[in-house]
Amino acid sequence: MPDISREIAHADGKILQHVTDGVGVITFNNPDKRNAMSLEMWEGFGEALTALRDDETVRVVILRGAGGKAFVSGADISQFEKTRHNAAASEEYAKRSAAQRALLANYPKPTIACIQGFCLGGGMQVAMLADIRLAAYGSQFGIPAAKLGIAYGYDGLKHLVSLVGPSWARLLMYTGMRIESAEALRIGFVERVFPEGELWGETMAIAQTISENAPLAIKAAKITIAEVLKDESRRDMDAIKSIGTACMDSADFREGRQAFMEKRKPQFQGK
């Protein structure tokens, strides 16, 4: 587990930021409310994402929840009377939280959601915006919008449909049902599932593997996959060509070739 003595706090300690061996970790730290997200937490989350984005030592970022009971259990409903009591207030809330979600959606570094416990509502949206989702057995997933009388946003549903397909998206949204990690794995919402006691170690192992690989090659994969998911008319083929050229002309490509010939582990610099 991260050394909390070295963590940086945001949102009065409800968002924590940590770096170790090229891996950035952001912790949703509101366990008394199962890490439900307040507006202040959304803004603190954005601050942590920005700090890790701009830290050249960080090559991959893990998102996790504190307390072992939840990743993020959704929005903090106790704030709804103040921040989302009608359409106008809800629109203002959405604008302020959407900026942080956009930051994650367009993040230049690989991101991993490490999910243990409840992943509901807004937590599902955070998880869907990560590149990779890993979960503990027994974790629960769902979007209770229909039980609260609110509309789940376009971006969230777009990501949900892309991951699980329209039929499962309808079933989840119409019923507000929860599914466990085994079902989430089967329908494609998460990529791998581990026993609770192994989740963090396995997540860190995957993150460290990513951090040791060539950053430009990973950036190329991330950019190209994002373009593949767009409608053909909106794809930026120049961006794909540009990052491909950058990889082929990089010192890391030379290092990768030399390391292979010398039968040693490459030391990539992202240049």
Side-chain angles (χ1 to χ4, degrees):
M1 302 296 282
D3 174 9
I4 61 172
S5 66
R6 296 177 55 209
E7 284 179 323
I8 297 170
H10 305 272
D12 293 327
K14 292 182 179 177
I15 298 291
L16 302 175
Q17 166 196 330
H18 173 82
V19 179
T20 181
D21 297 329
V23 179
V25 180
I26 296 177
T27 303
F28 303 104
N29 186 41
N30 191 16
D32 290 345
K33 292 188 176 182
R34 292 180 174 175
N35 302 324
M37 293 287 283
S38 64
L39 192 53
E40 292 75 20
M41 286 178 67
W42 276 114
E43 292 175 343
F45 180 44
E47 292 168 3
L49 283 170
T50 300
L52 295 177
R53 181 197 65 193
D54 297 342
D55 186 336
E56 293 184 358
T57 69
V58 174
R59 295 188 176 181
V60 57
V61 174
I62 298 172
L63 311 176
R64 63 188 292 269
K69 300 293 185 182
F71 173 67
V72 172
S73 62
D76 186 348
I77 297 175
S78 68
Q79 285 199 335
F80 277 24
E81 282 300 314
K82 177 181 178 182
T83 62
R84 301 178 73 178
H85 56 280
N86 59 28
S90 186
E91 183 176 359
E92 177 62 23
Y93 176 96
K95 285 180 181 178
R96 292 173 68 184
S97 59
Q100 323 312 326
R101 291 193 295 274
L103 185 59
L104 179 57
N106 299 305
Y107 211 63
K109 299 177 181 182
T111 52
I112 302 173
C114 176
I115 302 164
Q116 182 173 339
F118 295 104
C119 179
L120 306 173
M124 288 274 283
Q125 200 160 16
V126 171
M128 288 189 287
L129 290 172
D131 293 322
I132 299 166
R133 285 154 296 282
L134 309 174
Y137 285 111
S139 297
Q140 294 189 34
F141 303 82
I143 300 173
K147 296 181 181 293
L148 294 169
I150 59 176
Y152 205 64
Y154 171 82
D155 287 340
L157 285 179
K158 178 182 177 183
H159 289 296
L160 183 64
V161 170
S162 72
L163 288 170
V164 306
S167 295
W168 260 103
R170 292 185 186 105
L171 181 59
L172 290 168
M173 295 305 302
Y174 295 176
T175 65
M177 68 187 291
R178 295 181 186 177
I179 59 173
E180 291 200 354
S181 50
E183 187 88 279
L185 178 65
R186 187 181 70 79
I187 67 175
F189 186 79
V190 300
E191 281 67 66
R192 300 190 69 183
V193 178
F194 303 100
E196 283 188 5
E198 298 176 15
L199 175 64
W200 181 249
E202 294 286 355
T203 301
M204 278 297 294
I206 290 171
Q208 287 170 343
T209 296
I210 294 171
S211 74
E212 292 168 0
N213 286 337
L216 284 174
I218 292 171
K219 184 178 181 180
K222 181 158 184 167
I223 288 172
T224 304
I225 291 168
E227 295 302 322
V228 167
L229 292 173
K230 294 178 182 178
D231 293 332
E232 187 173 357
S233 63
R234 296 179 58 241
R235 289 176 188 154
D236 187 347
M237 302 306 292
D238 288 339
I240 295 173
K241 182 178 180 180
S242 177
I243 189 61
T245 300
C247 285
M248 297 305 292
D249 287 342
S250 69
D252 277 355
F253 181 39
R254 293 193 297 274
E255 166 65 8
R257 298 196 308 272
Q258 291 171 0
F260 179 80
M261 297 299 293
E262 296 168 8
K263 297 182 179 180
R264 61 174 174 81
K265 189 174 182 179
Q267 299 296 317
F268 295 118
Q269 302 299 317
K271 301 176 182 178

